Amino acid sequence: MSDDTRPIRIAEACYAEAVRGLSGQERSLDSVRQRATSNIAIAGVATAFLGGRTLSNAEADSITSLVVVSMFLFLLSVGLSIGVLMSRKGWIFHQSASGIKSLYISQFPDMPLNEVIFTISAHLEESYRDNQVKLSKLYQRMNWAFSVTVIHIIGMIIVVMLSTGSINMSAQTQPEPKPTQNQPAPNPGQNVPNPGVQETRSTPSPKEPPMHVNTPASE
């Protein structure tokens, strides 16, 4: 490598690293947006599965309060995820080709090639730092959204367990129905007939055979 091409080679290496960093940030942004979509889907499925049972079984005031808190957490998680999906402005992942042409041909036509590449690489690195600040905020927001979703699901499960337990307890403590027949209570001093079924005979009982009495014979 000659001394003339060395600055250009270094400038190209700097430019390649700057482009690689921005490409990685773009993939990270797509990944965090996919996580936001997955978080909305998970929270929605959990709410649809557990919410119906919870609302149908919730009767106590304490259970109803837990349902309200859990639904608030669901809305908060969805709102944080939507905020991640709507973050579209302020991201820079490349330089404008027309801007580079007008700047380094029209305004600075005598700038050496290595200086041009170094300058473009510096602009890309500046964009990388700005993007990293926004990306860190999105990651923090997604961590909050996932945490809220987990707390929401745990709360819904607890509400289902409490509501199911309250229904079982109420079913066990229900009094037995009293008999509707109004039968008079027996008098303690009154002879109560035996309710047992007595055997009735349709044929008369057999008569005892006559006893033969021996009398002395008359002479």
Side-chain angles (χ1 to χ4, degrees):
M1 181 184 296
S2 62
D3 294 336
D4 296 336
T5 60
R6 186 172 182 273
I8 297 178
R9 297 293 185 181
I10 296 175
E12 289 177 351
C14 295
Y15 178 80
E17 288 298 319
V19 171
R20 190 167 67 89
L22 289 178
S23 299
Q25 278 187 337
E26 190 172 7
R27 289 191 299 268
S28 298
L29 180 60
D30 294 337
S31 176
V32 75
R33 286 173 177 169
Q34 291 177 0
R35 293 181 185 180
T37 305
S38 301
N39 182 67
I40 294 175
I42 292 172
V45 171
T47 304
F49 179 73
L50 299 174
R53 299 178 60 183
T54 301
L55 294 177
S56 61
N57 297 336
E59 296 179 357
D61 295 337
S62 59
I63 296 178
T64 305
S65 301
L66 289 175
V67 172
V68 173
V69 173
S70 183
M71 294 305 295
F72 171 77
L73 294 176
F74 165 73
L75 296 177
L76 179 60
S77 177
V78 173
L80 291 173
S81 301
I82 292 176
V84 172
L85 294 174
M86 293 180 63
S87 178
R88 298 286 182 180
K89 297 180 180 179
W91 298 94
I92 301 175
F93 295 105
H94 64 279
Q95 293 290 322
S96 174
S98 59
I100 292 174
K101 178 181 177 181
S102 62
L103 182 62
Y104 296 104
I105 292 180
S106 301
Q107 299 183 15
F108 303 98
D110 299 331
M111 181 178 291
L113 180 58
N114 59 332
E115 293 294 334
V116 172
I117 299 175
F118 277 130
T119 305
I120 296 175
S121 301
H123 290 316
L124 294 177
E125 186 178 0
E126 184 180 358
S127 300
Y128 176 86
R129 288 194 297 266
D130 294 339
N131 293 340
Q132 192 64 31
V133 174
K134 299 182 181 66
L135 192 61
S136 299
K137 292 181 180 179
L138 291 185
Y139 272 114
Q140 184 178 6
R141 190 176 299 176
M142 277 309 308
N143 291 334
W144 279 104
F146 275 125
S147 301
V148 172
T149 301
V150 171
I151 297 173
H152 161 66
I153 294 175
I154 293 175
M156 295 291 286
I157 293 174
I158 293 174
V159 169
V160 170
M161 294 173 62
L162 291 177
S163 59
T164 304
S166 63
I167 290 177
N168 294 333
M169 292 179 61
S170 61
Q172 293 177 0
T173 56
Q174 287 182 356
E176 297 181 356
K178 295 181 180 180
T180 56
Q181 297 179 356
N182 296 324
Q183 298 180 354
N187 189 1
Q190 183 180 0
N191 293 328
V192 180
N194 187 359
V197 179
Q198 298 180 356
E199 182 182 358
T200 57
R201 297 182 180 179
S202 59
T203 59
S205 60
K207 296 181 179 180
E208 296 181 358
M211 297 178 62
H212 181 71
V213 180
N214 296 326
T215 55
S218 59
E219 296 180 353

